[in-house]
């Protein structure tokens, strides 16, 4: 291929810009032309497309958000929208597309693939809930942002002998709650992948209090219930001086971590190598430390993301 | 005086530990003994009091929260509670008391003063709403924590063309909203000290959007209304793609900033100098860059904190 | 005036962009035109000048460095260079100039003033060594960056029982060493404004060690000597397990703090108000919390910056 | 086993405390007793040993450094030292030992193993240069600390059109330089594992400058040469406005990242499981996302750490 395009779609994630940069630089280095599509699939259908030069991706590797902007665009679920998108790509002479995003974005890539248009997906979402990869771009940064916040809550919790219920992002996946929870030394982590027993949690807090522990931190993934709902449940079991903290959109932004920038760079590099060889219908990922490419249809239709549940056991099992 | 005590009370604020350290070190250096009272006025009444040595305040200057713990203790509003507290102090041979905290804590210090017990107040609260000082300990750190969060929200707001309504702490005072708002380049700052006109705000956002601005940030001090309530108001004026972010308890914690540690050190130093000379019934503060001591009765009964409203004008007036 | 220009000069300082933004927005709001001069006085003489619009200063308030770039340009010390600069300004129809920078930049502004060209200086340097103001733009951020580094060194110092000698920026002024030193709980602060006695310092460290203190932190302003030179001196007095850490250019960068952004915004606002009224030959500053304008000739020729030496006493005097 | 001990040795690394905490909690949960040895092998030989309770490891997961302190102790290379250490362990009735540290610490563990004492090594060093594991505790945090510093240098480099030569830790291993370099978008990364050609690097910088790039960042691992030496070499090839920045001990400290805390927790957990089953002579690691235990003799005598050299290629190869 000699001309490819790139778009970012869905919720923004730190490291998306590093991926945009890697795709652009690698492709130009390989003698290809690169076009940037603004506002995801909405911009694709509307033809909001511009040529990218090396200098367009200069000084962006460290920036949160996405310089290509993003938008939710449910209309792309229709065949009409998809065909319009392919028409736009052909109008610009674009032979292959890189899509960076989460679940919804991947389904757009899947649709383009089914229409025969060469597309490569790069997993970019803070939620880490994409099949075909151990990690998504943005997950490491978001987990660290959550951790920094919880380290601050710990100061207050310790000073006032309080229980903080910390609601974190994660509609279907408990990854952020699990990783940030273990890292924060949370007393309990509540995730969508596992049932919880409120009496067991209350008993664990009571036991901690008895041995003199001053703060108690409970991570709740929003996919289970809201922090407030969890507080209401817990307070029926006793008075634990509960406070709720909701870590919302703040977690999406910020300069990406080393891991997210390195992962994004490798994914971008790989995506271009695939398209250069004329390969589409794929999504890239990292599996056991190796950068891989999987069939996007098989990945989305037959695979599922599984969080590391040893973290759940390690963290929740220990009771003194 | 040869033996003094120190307590922290009310909501914790970053820099309280730096003040505890300064009081302890300065007093010991001056040949005095220092006692720490745990859990504020609750611990005072309960006699939860221990001698502090230099090593007890080692390695705490950088820590958020308070190593003396804090608690709300409404019972100290009663004369009975106050007299019990003074009794405890006398039992330990303590001749003077340093109280670090906000509005409620100062009223405890006021009561002790009225009972003739030598007390010095140090303003420690993130809200900056204490009369007798331009700045309180914790305000600078909390404002910077808010700013870091807003800088992250800006990434997402820009990527998705959104309006973020950011609710920040500040029941009666708009200081955090004002300082962090100006620093973040907020489109509008809503504070308890000033009425606002929702139509004017909506018009300002519309105008920004017309000239191509992608993100819009509105700071709302919780004393005016909740972020959600503000969103409901604003959405009646048009569709601004609003999202609400509530920066709650996270803002209280974290390592204190240079300013807060320096201010806390100076306040602690001054408080000990006053007690050493046998002076009580005072609160320390900074006024026009000078460390001062004011009569605590006069300060609490006749003075009021005023935020810097030039920030309000500078920020909200400019419309393009 | 209807058309003004702005340049940044000398070492970059966090908050310069906030000042550029404030000048640009306020001037446009007041109906004036604003031109940006790239690369300081070098760009002025070369005519590297472009019109600034509101969108040119969008999304820069949070960025370190300067979007107008900076350069050292010794040729501006000559009358020839100065007259060429004024010629360029007149060619563009520019009636007044705002100069943001440190000592050298101010001397350029002084020269323009002496040639009768209306100029207003804004103090922007991390060193805080400018007369006519209590604080310069960048000082607060740089001090906090130093403090964060020292907080990290403390971890290692404590773990290994070491003495860290920390060399910080400050050729002629000890402000960063003083503020960051007090905030870090340094054992000793060495600044150009005061002589030091190496035996006294060695004795203080020995005494700390005897009472079981594990880490020792000594701040040395580079204007006194290098960290390595200080280490060589100290090691002649005993074995204190010394390590040297040089905090160099890292301290110049990063997102500006709340204080620096607010200060920069106020300074920019004030500078435009002065030029709008046709006033030049001034430098803005903050004195006892008030934004002021001083005669630039008088300020540079008769005044001197004095650091807050109470910090020196507070920190270095106490010995146990 | 019913009683085990733990020590940290060598240079401190962020996450060591998380490992100490995990070992202690898991062991106590499993019904074992845990002893902490202060100051590494020095404390082992001296018998500086104390029982650890759950509360001794409370509130340390977020702290840099090591609460067990560390020390270099070359005497442990002698058989006499080793036997004295084993004697102390036996005196306390300790049946197994966990050693957290880097290369030198592992050789101590190897010696104990050869004497038949059950020992398990946990890789803890920022350098990531330990065989038997893909990652060591502290590497992720240190890389992020380097990255934050480089992001700040970029501000100044861009403002002044400069080349920054950034010397980072890494005596024998280029891991930090590679990961932080790719993440920072460095123009070139110089590591001990690969020869470099100064003319090629100079040509790359020149080419970047020609296409208008304002900043240039070169990462140099200290194992190759000092930043100053590299600058001297480079300046013979042209004037690139070079500045040197040495990121020294600062990189060792700070709150550990999510990854380092999670890794440390898993390693600690695994080490206790091994000792519980009576297994010694092992070192734990992570290999392709799986927590493993390897024979420590085989690992140290026959294996070698290899950095991810695809990062080297990806970063250094691309030239425009």
């Amino acid at each position: 291929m000699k001309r490819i395009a790139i778009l970012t779609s869905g919720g923004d994630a730190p490291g998306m810009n590093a991926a945009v940069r890697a795709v652009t630089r690698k492709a130009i280095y390989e003698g290809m032309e690169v076009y940037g599509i603004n506002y995801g699939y909405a911009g694709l259908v509307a033809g909001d497309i511009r040529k990218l030069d090396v200098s367009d991706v200069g000084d962006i590797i460290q920036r949160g958000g996405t310089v290509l902007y993003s938008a939710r665009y449910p209309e792309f679920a229709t065949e009409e929208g998809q065909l319009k998108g392919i028409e736009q790509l052909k109008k610009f002479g674009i032979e292959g597309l890189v899509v960076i995003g989460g679940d919804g974005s991947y389904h757009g890539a899947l649709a383009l693939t089914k229409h025969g248009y060469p597309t490569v997906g790069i997993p970019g979402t803070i939620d880490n809930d994409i099949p075909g990869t151990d990690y998504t771009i943005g997950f490491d940064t978001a987990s660290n942002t959550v951790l920094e916040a919880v380290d601050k809550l710990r100061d207050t919790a310790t000073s006032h002998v309080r229980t903080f219920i910390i609601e974190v992002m994660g509609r279907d996946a408990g990854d952020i709650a699990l990783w940030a929870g273990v890292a924060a030394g949370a007393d309990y982590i509540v995730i969508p992948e596992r049932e919880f027993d409120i009496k067991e949690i209350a008993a664990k807090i009571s036991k901690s209090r008895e041995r003199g522990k001053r703060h108690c931190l409970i991570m709740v993934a929003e996919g289970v219930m809201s922090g407030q709902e969890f507080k209401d449940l817990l307070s029926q079991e006793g008075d634990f001086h509960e406070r709720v903290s909701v870590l919302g959109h703040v977690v999406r932004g910020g300069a990406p971590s080393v891991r997210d920038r390195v992962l994004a760079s490798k994914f971008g590099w790989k995506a271009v190598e695939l398209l250069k060889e004329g390969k589409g219908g794929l999504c890239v990922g990292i599996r056991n430390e190796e950068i891989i490419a999987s069939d996007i249809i098989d990945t989305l239709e037959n695979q599922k993301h599984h969080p590391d549940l040893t973290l759940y056991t390690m963290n929740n099992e220990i009771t003194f």
Side-chain angles (χ1 to χ4, degrees), chain A:
Chain A
M1 292 183 192
K2 298 304 282 178
R3 188 176 290 175
I4 63 170
I6 181 166
L7 63 80
T8 54
S9 161
D12 62 321
M16 279 185 164
N17 284 330
V20 170
R21 173 184 178 271
V23 167
T24 305
R25 286 168 59 93
K26 173 68 173 168
I28 292 174
Y29 177 66
E30 297 290 351
M32 301 157 92
E33 285 184 330
V34 189
Y35 282 72
I37 300 167
N38 289 329
Y39 299 107
Y41 293 113
L44 171 59
V45 170
D48 189 353
I49 299 174
R50 57 183 159 129
K51 197 171 170 227
L52 294 179
D53 200 355
V54 175
S55 62
D56 290 314
V57 296
D59 218 25
I60 68 165
I61 197 171
Q62 80 277 23
R63 302 246 157 93
T66 160
V67 295
L68 295 181
Y69 312 116
S70 188
R72 313 247 175 217
Y73 187 65
E75 293 87 335
F76 204 72
T78 66
E79 188 162 13
E80 197 197 334
Q82 296 153 10
L83 293 176
K84 230 189 257 176
I86 292 173
E87 202 182 307
Q88 290 284 9
L89 290 165
K90 291 192 171 156
K91 210 176 82 187
F92 281 84
I94 294 163
E95 300 162 273
L97 177 67
V98 179
V99 169
I100 307 172
D103 193 54
S105 318
Y106 263 46
H107 278 91
L110 179 70
L112 292 173
T113 295
K114 288 186 170 170
H115 286 298
Y117 192 85
T119 308
V120 174
I122 292 181
T125 165
I126 63 168
D127 291 335
N128 210 42
D129 60 351
I130 301 296
T133 190
D134 291 341
Y135 302 107
T136 59
I137 300 171
F139 167 63
D140 186 60
T141 307
S143 302
N144 277 294
T145 304
V146 168
L147 182 60
E148 278 167 43
V150 178
D151 279 350
K152 285 179 183 165
L153 291 174
R154 182 202 309 269
D155 289 340
T156 293
T158 305
S159 300
H160 289 275
V161 192
R162 278 191 190 145
T163 297
F164 268 100
I165 294 154
I166 302 145
E167 177 191 324
V168 297
M169 288 200 163
R171 254 162 315 182
D172 309 306
D175 293 70
I176 291 182
L178 280 173
W179 284 73
V182 166
D187 294 78
Y188 216 90
I189 304 171
V190 182
I191 56 172
E193 291 85 354
R194 284 284 176 275
E195 304 269 307
F196 70 94
D197 176 345
I198 195 73
K199 286 190 194 307
E200 183 194 317
I201 297 175
K204 194 174 178 186
I205 302 175
S206 299
K207 230 173 151 183
S208 290
R209 282 283 149 79
E210 275 162 36
R211 67 170 173 87
K213 198 181 170 191
R214 280 197 178 79
H215 63 273
C216 179
L217 304 168
I218 297 179
M219 309 291 289
V220 179
E222 62 174 358
V224 179
M225 61 177 64
S226 77
Q228 186 57 46
E229 286 167 322
F230 188 89
K231 176 178 186 289
D232 292 344
L233 266 186
L234 182 64
S235 63
Q236 286 168 25
E237 306 297 321
D239 180 4
F240 302 105
H241 305 269
E242 318 90 14
R243 292 289 184 284
V244 174
S245 185
V246 180
L247 303 179
H249 285 88
V250 168
V251 168
R252 295 202 165 282
S257 68
V258 167
R259 270 219 163 229
D260 276 333
R261 297 193 205 177
V262 167
L263 198 62
S265 301
K266 287 184 165 185
F267 283 169
W269 185 274
K270 180 75 174 182
V272 172
E273 285 189 334
L274 294 169
L275 288 177
K276 194 187 145 200
E277 298 165 16
K279 292 179 190 160
L282 297 164
C283 51
V284 302
I286 186 165
R287 183 72 84 196
N288 297 333
E289 296 289 334
E290 197 192 344
I291 302 298
I292 56 164
S294 325
D295 185 283
I296 196 166
I297 299 176
D298 174 60
T299 303
L300 286 184
E301 296 185 347
N302 304 322
Q303 297 183 30
K304 223 178 119 40
H305 166 73
H306 297 287
D308 180 352
L309 290 171
T310 62
L311 295 176
Y312 188 84
T313 311
M314 272 175 56
N315 197 83
N316 290 356
E317 178 187 307
I318 287 196
T319 313
F320 299 105

